[in-house]
Amino acid sequence: MDPFRLLELLILVAVLVGFVGLLLRRNLFLKVLAMDVMGSAVVALFVLVAARAGLRSPILAAPLAPGAVAAPLPMADPIPQAVILTAIVIGLSIQALLLVVITRLARVDPSLDLASFDAGRLDAGERR
């Protein structure tokens, strides 16, 4: 089996595990953790896509001796690399924001169970 296909399969499994965790878990902290697993798997997919063309980074090479001919080496695509860096920064900031919100919600209900927050919302709606 091609190593890239195996890595694609593992990344797909990681995305599915994160998605299932997001759907089935009732604890808000575990939902954020599942979202982080999904985000990391998507970043890994972009790294894999960028590495298909080559593994070298597209930066300036060392100068060659006069008269020497450089063999063209396959280089990684720089566009997915820029997207990867952006996705990492955005994912980290979203995760930090969600953890701050969850910390504030833990003061209301330390169990962080969605059912208790839904019940609290319904109780507040009935009081109106």
Side-chain angles (χ1 to χ4, degrees), residues 40-63:
S40 297
V42 170
V43 168
L45 180 66
F46 272 102
V47 169
L48 186 65
V49 167
R52 278 203 189 274
L55 296 176
R56 287 197 60 208
S57 295
I59 58 174
L60 296 176

Side-chain angles (χ1 to χ4, degrees), residues 3-75:
F4 279 107
R5 291 286 178 203
L6 181 63
L7 287 173
E8 285 174 347
L9 181 65
L10 290 174
I11 290 169
L12 178 65
V13 167
V15 168
L16 289 176
V17 165
F19 187 68
V20 167
L22 191 61
L23 290 177
L24 297 180
R25 296 295 171 193
R26 301 288 297 170
N27 188 313
L28 289 175
F29 179 75
L30 293 178
K31 284 187 178 282
V32 170
L33 188 64
M35 283 180 49
D36 190 44
V37 168
M38 284 178 54
S40 297
V42 170
V43 168
L45 180 66
F46 272 102
V47 169
L48 186 65
V49 167
R52 278 203 189 274
L55 296 176
R56 287 197 60 208
S57 295
I59 58 174
L60 296 176
L64 295 174
V69 177
L73 296 172
M75 294 192 187

Side-chain angles (χ1 to χ4, degrees), residues 41-116:
V42 170
V43 168
L45 180 66
F46 272 102
V47 169
L48 186 65
V49 167
R52 278 203 189 274
L55 296 176
R56 287 197 60 208
S57 295
I59 58 174
L60 296 176
L64 295 174
V69 177
L73 296 172
M75 294 192 187
D77 189 7
I79 301 300
Q81 291 179 0
V83 172
I84 290 166
L85 288 174
T86 305
I88 290 171
V89 169
I90 291 171
L92 181 66
S93 59
I94 288 173
Q95 185 181 12
L97 180 66
L98 286 173
L99 289 175
V100 166
V101 169
I102 288 174
T103 304
R104 302 282 292 229
L105 286 174
R107 294 179 184 162
V108 175
D109 182 15
S111 71
L112 292 174
D113 188 23
L114 282 178
S116 65

